[in-house]
């Protein structure tokens, strides 16, 4: 018997065989399957031909499993159980209850309370989703979003290629970080105007780090006519705040950074109307967003955007 004939066994053949093997009676099995007895007998005979083995001993009165039939019955149970499990998994993936989710996020994301709260809620609601978090700055997320290495990105506002789009999560106010005893602290209750920063040395993000904050802060200062004197540059927020604490200068940061409690660093509000940074949820419009990503997107939008309306 050729291999192709063996491979043409269908799931219905297994179900027919299991019914007969459990009932050990063709009439009862046919009634259970809602078919007549002659077609059932033909299907079992066809199955035996396909597997090239006698599975049932039968006469006018009795039906019994052969040793090959008993082994085949165990395997048939396992096959149908695997098919059912695969169908269940597929349905759960379609609902976003199962699967893998890759997220790009900036270094400040862990300090955004509503974002971390949403991630925690998602983790609790869908524990069987495997989440892969990739820390990268805004500009570094572009290529992985295009290639599909990450499904969604949480980033700052930037210029996006045409295949990427975004939803605005929230606008985050800019703040001024100063060291203990700095003259600007007399305005800690009322806040400061950007132009009041002009006379003080700045600690800036490094330009070659590629962070969108570098561009945003520069634009903020330029629009106010402030040309900053940059005394130091650093690639990480913790380093910047550490240098502020050491009295090396002041820095303009976003509000999420203020959740970092650094000894000797104080934070002041900016009074300028548009002194804020947009935080985006970015995705690729040319790729189908996985159901698991849609679930998280909906949760983020409900927790953050919905609460702002």
């Amino acid at each position: 018997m050729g291999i192709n004939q063996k491979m043409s066994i269908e799931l219905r053949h297994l179900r027919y065989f299991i019914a007969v093997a459990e009932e050990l009676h063709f009439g009862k099995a046919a009634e259970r399957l809602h078919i007549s007895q002659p077609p059932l007998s033909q299907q079992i005979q066809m199955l035996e031909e396909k597997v090239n083995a006698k599975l049932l001993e039968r006469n006018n009165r009795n039906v019994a499993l052969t040793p090959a039939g008993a082994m085949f019955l165990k395997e048939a149970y396992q096959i149908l159980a695997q098919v059912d499990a695969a169908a269940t998994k597929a349905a759960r993936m379609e609902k976003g209850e199962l699967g893998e989710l890759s997220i790009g996020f900036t270094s400040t994301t862990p300090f955004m309370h509503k974002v971390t709260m949403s991630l925690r809620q998602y983790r609790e609601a869908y524990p069987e989703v495997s989440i892969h978090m990739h820390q990268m700055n805004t500009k570094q997320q572009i290529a992985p979003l295009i290639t599909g290495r990450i499904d969604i990105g949480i980033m700052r506002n930037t210029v996006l290629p045409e295949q990427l789009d975004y939803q605005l999560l929230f606008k985050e106010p800019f703040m001024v970080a100063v060291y203990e005893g700095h003259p600007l602290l007399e305005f800690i209750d009322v806040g400061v105007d950007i132009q009041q920063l002009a006379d003080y040395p700045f600690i800036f993000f490094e330009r070659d780090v590629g962070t969108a904050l570098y561009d945003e802060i520069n634009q903020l200062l330029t629009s106010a006519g402030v040309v900053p004197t940059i005394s130091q540059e650093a690639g990480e927020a913790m380093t910047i705040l550490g240098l502020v604490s050491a009295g090396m200068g002041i820095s303009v940061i976003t509000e999420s950074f203020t959740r970092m409690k650094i000894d000797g660093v104080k934070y002041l509000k900016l009074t300028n109307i548009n002194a804020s940074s947009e935080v985006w949820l970015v995705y690729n419009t040319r790729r189908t967003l996985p159901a698991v990503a849609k679930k998280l997107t909906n949760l983020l939008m409900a927790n953050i955007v919905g609460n702002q309306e």
Side-chain angles (χ1 to χ4, degrees):
M1 183 175 295
I3 186 71
N4 289 338
Q5 188 174 2
K6 289 184 180 180
M7 293 300 290
S8 63
I9 296 173
E10 300 175 16
L11 292 179
R12 63 187 175 90
H13 294 135
L14 302 183
R15 294 190 176 96
Y16 290 167
F17 172 72
I18 288 172
V20 176
E22 290 179 346
E23 299 290 346
L24 293 178
H25 191 285
F26 274 87
K28 292 180 180 178
E31 184 178 348
R32 169 175 154 183
L33 294 167
H34 305 291
I35 61 175
S36 60
Q37 184 172 333
L40 177 60
S41 297
Q42 292 173 2
Q43 291 296 324
I44 296 300
Q45 184 178 357
M46 185 182 301
L47 175 62
E48 289 178 319
E49 292 174 357
K50 290 177 183 295
V51 301
N52 200 23
K54 191 172 184 180
L55 304 177
L56 297 167
E57 293 283 1
R58 46 202 182 269
N59 53 41
N60 291 335
R61 293 186 176 181
N62 299 309
V63 178
L65 286 168
T66 66
M71 181 279 299
F72 191 79
L73 178 62
K74 292 180 181 179
E75 298 290 337
Y77 281 139
Q78 292 179 11
I79 291 169
L80 291 183
Q82 288 175 348
V83 171
D84 289 342
T88 299
K89 285 183 178 180
R92 294 187 66 199
M93 286 190 72
E94 183 71 17
K95 295 177 182 178
E97 299 174 354
L98 193 70
E100 295 192 3
L101 174 60
S102 292
I103 306 170
F105 68 99
T106 63
S107 61
T108 54
T109 302
F111 300 97
M112 299 173 184
H113 173 67
K114 289 183 179 179
V115 174
T116 55
M117 176 189 69
S118 298
L119 287 170
R120 184 171 64 251
Q121 290 176 351
Y122 182 85
R123 174 78 282 170
E124 292 171 352
Y126 308 106
E128 294 181 72
V129 175
S130 180
I131 302 175
H132 306 284
M133 303 293 292
H134 305 275
Q135 182 180 330
M136 52 187 78
N137 65 48
T138 292
K139 294 178 183 178
Q140 288 172 339
Q141 292 186 44
I142 302 299
L145 281 166
I146 292 174
T147 61
R149 181 187 166 212
I150 58 177
D151 300 306
I152 55 176
I154 299 172
M155 64 173 71
R156 303 282 173 182
N157 52 314
T158 189
V159 178
L160 295 175
E162 61 178 357
Q163 60 265 57
L164 300 185
D165 203 354
Y166 74 94
Q167 290 178 286
L168 174 65
L169 290 177
F170 56 90
K171 293 182 178 181
E172 186 180 20
F174 279 111
M175 308 280 286
V176 182
V178 301
Y179 51 85
E180 191 79 55
H182 194 279
L184 287 174
L185 284 175
E186 68 174 291
F187 303 104
I188 195 166
D189 293 329
V190 296
V192 295
D193 186 277
I194 295 173
Q195 291 182 339
Q196 292 177 261
L197 311 180
D199 297 332
Y200 301 102
F202 275 78
I203 302 169
F204 242 71
F205 287 96
E206 293 175 351
R207 185 180 207 123
D208 58 7
V209 170
T211 173
L213 278 178
Y214 181 96
D215 297 330
E216 284 190 291
I217 295 169
N218 243 329
Q219 179 60 39
L220 180 68
L221 295 170
T222 300
S223 63
V226 175
V227 179
T229 301
I230 300 176
S231 63
Q232 300 286 333
E233 290 186 340
E236 296 292 334
M238 287 294 289
T239 304
I240 289 174
L241 294 177
L243 291 172
V244 170
S245 177
M248 304 298 293
I250 66 173
S251 187
V252 176
I253 55 167
T254 52
E255 187 178 45
S256 54
F257 285 112
T258 65
R259 297 185 69 188
M260 302 182 193
K261 303 305 180 184
I262 308 295
D263 289 342
V265 177
K266 300 292 184 180
Y267 302 105
L268 294 88
K269 294 180 180 179
L270 282 171
T271 58
N272 305 75
I273 296 176
N274 296 319
S276 62
S277 171
E278 293 185 354
V279 177
W280 292 354
L281 181 68
V282 181
Y283 49 90
N284 191 331
T285 59
R286 297 181 185 176
R287 289 180 174 272
T288 301
L289 197 64
V292 288
K294 291 179 182 177
K295 289 280 189 183
L296 178 57
T297 298
N298 292 338
L299 183 59
L300 283 165
M301 298 305 291
N303 281 346
I304 299 174
V305 179
N307 289 336
Q308 293 174 354
E309 293 177 352

